[in-house]
Amino acid sequence: MSLNLPTPGSALAIGAHPDDVEFGCGATLAKWSAAGAVVHHLICTDGSKGSWDPHADTAALVLTRQTEQHAAAKALGATGECVFLTWPDGELESGLRQRWELAYWIRKLRPAVVLGHDPWKRYRLHPDHRHAGQLTVESIVAARDPHFFPEQDLPHHRPEALLLFEADEPDHVEDTAGYADAKLAALHAHTSQLLSTMHIDENASISEVEGQRRAFDQRVLARLTEHGALEGVPQGEAFKLMAEL
Ligand SMILES: [Zn+2]
């Protein structure tokens, strides 16, 4: 188990849906942003299935979720791009077209560190998370080697490190003491997800909503504590680190 990478000059966090990045590595990104790193988000799908309301206007939901993602990035202190690839939610594939797009953005943004879903996480139900992880790994190979997708007409780029969140076999912890509030603020910025993801029912009474909000925050804080304990720090986010790319 290792602790803390040097603060990178720039980082690109790749998530399947708006909010995945905040769950997976929000406190780490807040820490790096505060230390001067340029933090970019790339979201693979349009998030159009992120509602439990069968009558939801999904076109409007897509735009809402993009606005929320911008607000979440701001809550983390991120100053980089928010890129939305808008593949249909729930139908993401790790094919060549998608790999082409991710490799393009890695070459364009030239991040020192890439963060993404662990594609090898066992018993994972959601296909988008698995495919987004697969794409992250595969697009790094395409981005770093000059003969992949030469028509992109961008210099190839090899990131220094890849951090996989939701790691099946975590071997690296980022100490995130002091950044839990930023992570929580960023998660709460995804207001369309209050009910489906955070189990906060805004139609409940004020005291019930407060209780649900506290319970959600406590779950997030408990996870930070659990991950920090892997490397003996009070709070952290755990990853699988791949450093030889
Ligand atoms: Zn997700």
Side-chain angles (χ1 to χ4, degrees), residues 158-199:
R158 184 189 297 263
E160 290 157 27
L162 169 62
L163 288 175
L164 298 173
F165 49 79
E166 305 155 356
D168 201 57
E169 294 184 7
D171 62 1
H172 178 84
V173 172
E174 285 294 322
D175 182 345
T176 59
Y179 295 96
D181 286 348
K183 179 175 176 123
L184 286 171
L187 284 165
H188 285 293
H190 294 279
T191 46
S192 67
Q193 305 304 295
L194 285 180
L195 182 60
S196 59
T197 303
M198 303 181 219
H199 307 303

Side-chain angles (χ1 to χ4, degrees), residues 6-220:
T7 304
S10 60
L12 169 64
I14 299 172
H17 311 104
D19 82 8
D20 287 331
V21 164
E22 282 64 45
F23 274 109
C25 58
T28 299
L29 297 181
K31 177 177 76 165
W32 287 347
S33 295
V38 177
V39 167
H40 306 285
H41 283 64
L42 185 149
I43 311 302
C44 297
T45 74
D46 62 8
S48 56
K49 295 202 175 54
S51 170
W52 284 355
D53 175 4
H55 307 294
D57 176 347
T58 55
L61 180 61
V62 169
L63 294 180
T64 300
R65 298 199 68 182
Q66 291 186 1
T67 305
E68 291 169 354
Q69 184 60 77
H70 281 292
K74 199 170 168 204
L76 297 177
T79 57
E81 303 264 342
C82 277
V83 178
F84 300 99
L85 300 186
T86 66
W87 291 94
D89 192 350
E91 300 169 18
L92 184 64
E93 294 176 311
S94 41
L96 266 186
R97 289 171 65 204
Q98 292 82 1
R99 194 193 303 172
W100 192 100
E101 290 193 353
L102 266 80
Y104 171 86
W105 282 104
I106 291 172
R107 286 173 169 178
K108 194 169 167 69
L109 299 172
R110 310 186 69 74
V113 175
V114 173
L115 307 95
H117 299 268
D118 181 350
W120 299 288
K121 167 107 175 157
R122 279 171 288 187
Y123 313 119
R124 185 200 279 287
L125 208 53
H126 205 304
D128 288 347
H129 294 167
R130 195 163 48 242
H131 286 296
Q134 203 70 46
L135 282 169
T136 301
V137 171
E138 291 167 353
S139 63
I140 284 177
V141 175
R144 73 172 190 203
D145 291 346
H147 296 296
F148 283 77
F149 308 133
E151 70 283 8
Q152 289 184 346
D153 203 20
L154 287 168
H156 56 280
H157 175 69
R158 184 189 297 263
E160 290 157 27
L162 169 62
L163 288 175
L164 298 173
F165 49 79
E166 305 155 356
D168 201 57
E169 294 184 7
D171 62 1
H172 178 84
V173 172
E174 285 294 322
D175 182 345
T176 59
Y179 295 96
D181 286 348
K183 179 175 176 123
L184 286 171
L187 284 165
H188 285 293
H190 294 279
T191 46
S192 67
Q193 305 304 295
L194 285 180
L195 182 60
S196 59
T197 303
M198 303 181 219
H199 307 303
I200 299 168
D201 181 1
E202 288 176 295
N203 295 319
S205 70
I206 292 175
S207 65
E208 276 177 316
V209 170
E210 275 175 12
Q212 290 164 350
R213 200 172 274 273
R214 261 198 311 277
F216 171 74
D217 289 358
Q218 273 158 14
R219 285 197 296 277
V220 172

